[in-house]
Amino acid sequence: MPKPMAVPSGMIDIKAPLITSDEPIINPLRITIDSPKTYRKAVYRLALYFKREFHYDFEQFAVDDEDRTHIAFLWIHPEAIELSCDYRVPCIGATCFRYREPRNRPSTWGMQWVWFHPYFRRQGLLRSAWSNFKEEFGDFRCAPPLSDSMTKFLEKIDTQNK
């Protein structure tokens, strides 16, 4: 009789990185090379979860990336926003934009990846930040391949904007 397969705990553990701030955090928090390293490490941890869930070969964010055209955003738990100056608060989502200059197309910003803790998906967090992203990055592209959820999200956003 074959033994049942076990799932390694590392494949299912989702530990939210914790950050603190000297100032109140407004979701999403803009992360650049000038941001505290703990913030960049939090984005990196969430990029690892993205890599694991979508079976990528490499991380989509690097803690020590010095490219100023890479801008990430970090969401903390909505109920912890008012506590961010006094306590370490959990990060529950992140995204990263990069400026691309392809040879055969006009240069543009691209949303390279976005990941939310499963408990916080479909809660309107990305939708509420979308207009700010459009204002800052213009008509940016979402980098393929897109998950079914992201494809549906983009269709819904496109429909609402017509």
Side-chain angles (χ1 to χ4, degrees), residues 33-141:
I33 189 63
D34 299 320
S35 299
K37 196 163 194 168
T38 55
Y39 293 9
R40 295 192 321 266
K41 284 182 177 181
V43 173
Y44 175 75
R45 168 75 72 83
L46 299 177
L48 288 175
Y49 294 150
F50 175 88
K51 172 189 170 189
R52 182 175 70 190
E53 181 173 346
F54 295 104
H55 309 288
Y56 274 63
D57 293 335
F58 58 93
E59 296 82 24
Q60 299 287 314
F61 185 84
V63 173
D64 295 321
D65 185 349
E66 295 184 10
D67 188 339
R68 293 197 175 274
T69 65
H70 295 181
I71 300 171
F73 291 86
L74 189 62
W75 281 265
I76 65 167
H77 192 298
E79 293 176 12
I81 289 175
E82 294 185 18
L83 305 172
S84 61
C85 291
D86 301 317
Y87 300 97
R88 295 179 345 156
V89 294
C91 302
I92 51 93
T95 189
C96 185
F97 288 84
R98 290 191 170 92
Y99 191 71
R100 297 294 189 210
E101 298 178 279
R103 292 182 193 156
N104 56 350
R105 289 189 315 233
S107 300
T108 186
W109 283 94
M111 178 184 272
Q112 298 300 296
W113 60 274
V114 60
W115 187 89
F116 283 97
H117 185 289
Y119 292 164
F120 292 95
R121 294 175 185 174
R122 293 183 174 90
Q123 301 296 314
L125 295 169
L126 182 58
R127 184 175 7 95
S128 66
W130 198 257
S131 62
N132 291 337
F133 293 156
K134 283 293 195 181
E135 186 176 313
E136 181 170 354
F137 302 109
D139 192 20
F140 62 87
R141 296 172 166 248

Side-chain angles (χ1 to χ4, degrees), residues 122 146-159:
R122 293 183 174 90
L146 300 176
S147 67
D148 290 341
S149 295
M150 189 63 176
T151 300
K152 289 175 185 171
F153 171 82
L154 292 172
E155 288 169 357
K156 188 173 183 179
I157 287 290
D158 190 44
T159 300

